[in-house]
Amino acid sequence: MSLREDFLWGGATAANQYEGGYDQDGKGLNAIDVMTNGSHTTPRQVTWKKADGQTGTTPLVWGKPFAFPKDAIPTILDDYYYPSHTGTDFYHHLEDLGLLAEMGFKCYRFSINWSRIFPNGDDEQVNQAGLAFYDRVVDTCLRLGMEPLVTLSHYETPLSLVIRYNGWSDRKMIPIFEKYAKTLFNHFKGRVKYWLTFNEINAMDHAPYMGGGLLDTSAQNRAQGAHNQFVASALAVKAAHEIDPNMQVGQMLACSAIYTYTCDPKDALKVMEAQQNELFYADVQTGGRYPEYRLKKYAREGIVLEDCSEDYELIAKYPADFLSFSCYGSHVVTTHENTAQAEGNLGMNGVKNPYLETNAWGWTIDPYCLRLTLNTLWDRYHKPLWIVENGLGWSDELTPDGKVHDDYRINYLKANLKSMKDAVEIDGVDLLGYTMWSAIDLVSNGTGEMKKRYGFVYVDRDDRGNGSLKRYKKDSFDWYKQVIATNGENLD
Ligand code: BG6
């Protein structure tokens, strides 16, 4: 057998895309709750209001800086549709967990909606009703034999902290997050072993409003925001180990293989720089130190981090216990012009790879991406790895007899799992688990659409929130079930 016997097979979701119930049982608003729906061609927007009553919206184009008007307070406005408000209603459909268990899931990755626990992010008191919801989730998982893998912050910065502090750019966020993390570690001690701090921590570069709750996204704020999250992550590792030595706190990085378009050495340099931008976040959070290339860059750009020498000691002393990552497909970069463009996760766009297909959203489908990425990360950090997101967004069709024939998803997953197994079997990478994105259909993060679906289970819901919310098993449901049953030996 190529994979370890206790390999953690499963799937993943995020609170803001799945739960709904955005204002129920005392929950406060988070950054995504004021984000409208969008599409492949129309960006999602943040709606806002000024003190003088003026209202407006700011489009978020992934990977591009955006200007949020001064004095504009993000808020919910009439006449807009906010997909996070209902998601696919997991808040009222906990029976979904039974479907995941039916597939044989060993593990379920989900995020805790910070503002369900502390409605303003930093309240004195815990919102007990919010905590009780996650008690039900965790206890059901355990009863059904699924190990919970919990993300503390999956783009769900409480809106109040966004407004008061410009999100993570302010180091006041560090103790606030520490309290939030400790509250959960103490509460779930003995029940939740695996934790992740920040989903795709490098979103601070590509999507700083989402990743860091930044309204002012200057390079200085992004650098300080990332630094504050590194320190907060180190403190979370420290707290978790003190509270329960069994707990493991991992990093979560958006990562993929990056190819050069030509053999022009200038293109090779471009790959190196793109890789540095991606791996900087793991060099610090998992490797435990700021790499020289980033310090030089900050010096060149006049970026100065707040002077706090004990931060660096914390970062060095409490690195992540394991490194998890999302990987959807590879990227191609070049210095040459007039090349066809491709798109990708978090706006990591690049050049179209002439050897590979894309989905309808322009994301590249690459059967070798996982093996390459796993090797890069294993060689560089020698820490256990975990694939916590990998999957195919597709506009699935429900047939009149209630079926979804998603052979394209099965083919994508077959090739990706083969690539993953090669990294373990041939290259000796230490891999803890694989949680497919997404366990069940939910709102797309990038576009806010429902029609960009990823799940093994179809949910009857459309882009405007209409539909019965009824659940249907897709063909990939049964396929994944036998993959798990054979610990990945049978991918056919
Ligand atoms: C990752 C996120 O960026 O990719 C998920 O962690 C997201 O939240 C997933 O849903 C797929 O992206 P999208 O934009 O297709 O939903």
Side-chain angles (χ1 to χ4, degrees), residues 14 16-17 62 109 154-155 199-200 210 252 254 326 328 345-346 363 389 393 437 442-448 452 454:
N16 75 83
Q17 295 168 261
W62 310 129
R109 173 183 174 226
H154 193 126
Y155 303 148
N199 182 64
E200 298 184 325
M210 245 170 39
M252 161 39 163
S326 62
Y328 289 89
N345 187 19
L346 296 177
W363 290 27
E389 282 186 35
W437 187 267
L442 36 67
V443 173
S444 156
N445 171 61
T447 66
K452 191 180 186 193
Y454 285 87

Side-chain angles (χ1 to χ4, degrees), residues 109-125:
R109 173 183 174 226
F110 61 95
S111 70
I112 288 188
N113 220 330
W114 184 345
S115 57
R116 241 184 239 297
I117 309 299
F118 293 109
N120 296 292
D122 58 351
D123 311 68
E124 270 298 303
Q125 302 294 330

Side-chain angles (χ1 to χ4, degrees), residues 80-269:
Y80 289 93
Y81 176 62
Y82 301 92
S84 74
H85 292 193
T86 43
T88 42
D89 204 29
F90 177 54
Y91 200 70
H92 303 106
H93 286 79
L94 255 68
E95 70 276 10
D96 286 350
L97 295 172
L99 285 169
L100 309 188
E102 194 184 322
M103 271 183 279
F105 273 33
K106 312 275 184 221
C107 169
Y108 169 47
R109 173 183 174 226
F110 61 95
S111 70
I112 288 188
N113 220 330
W114 184 345
S115 57
R116 241 184 239 297
I117 309 299
F118 293 109
N120 296 292
D122 58 351
D123 311 68
E124 270 298 303
Q125 302 294 330
V126 171
N127 173 33
Q128 293 298 340
L131 208 50
F133 170 67
Y134 295 107
D135 275 331
R136 292 198 290 281
V137 175
V138 167
D139 292 344
T140 309
C141 282
L142 296 175
R143 183 169 50 77
L144 295 171
M146 298 188 288
E147 185 84 51
L149 166 61
V150 178
T151 315
L152 289 163
S153 183
H154 193 126
Y155 303 148
E156 288 128 3
T157 311
L159 190 62
S160 173
L161 301 176
V162 172
I163 295 166
R164 281 184 285 147
Y165 299 129
N166 189 31
W168 276 94
S169 69
D170 193 320
R171 68 181 292 130
K172 288 195 199 79
M173 291 291 285
I174 299 173
I176 295 172
F177 181 83
E178 192 187 4
K179 177 178 166 193
Y180 164 60
K182 278 182 172 169
T183 304
L184 296 178
F185 295 158
N186 279 313
H187 187 78
F188 290 107
K189 178 179 173 175
R191 289 187 285 165
V192 176
K193 176 175 174 190
Y194 296 108
W195 301 85
L196 301 174
T197 49
F198 299 97
N199 182 64
E200 298 184 325
I201 190 166
N202 46 332
M204 188 64 78
D205 267 336
H206 306 285
Y209 172 77
M210 245 170 39
L214 301 193
L215 297 175
D216 176 346
T217 64
S218 67
Q220 172 66 42
N221 281 340
R222 281 184 277 127
Q224 187 64 48
H227 180 77
N228 294 340
Q229 291 193 341
F230 293 142
V231 179
S233 294
L235 287 168
V237 172
K238 178 172 184 288
H241 292 177
E242 283 166 6
I243 291 167
D244 179 354
N246 243 339
M247 277 186 193
Q248 294 194 24
V249 182
Q251 161 162 25
M252 161 39 163
L253 182 77
C255 196
S256 61
I258 306 172
Y259 304 148
T260 164
Y261 188 61
T262 70
C263 50
D264 181 341
K266 289 197 198 101
D267 277 7
L269 281 174

Side-chain angles (χ1 to χ4, degrees), residues 423-443:
V424 174
E425 218 165 77
I426 304 174
D427 309 315
V429 161
D430 182 9
L431 187 63
L432 296 173
Y434 173 91
T435 54
M436 203 280 273
W437 187 267
S438 54
I440 178 169
D441 284 352
L442 36 67
V443 173

Side-chain angles (χ1 to χ4, degrees), residues 16 22 27-35 76 82 84-85 115:
N16 75 83
Y22 84 107
K27 180 184 163 293
L29 296 180
N30 64 42
I32 309 286
D33 289 332
V34 291
M35 264 170 75
I76 295 171
Y82 301 92
S84 74
H85 292 193
S115 57

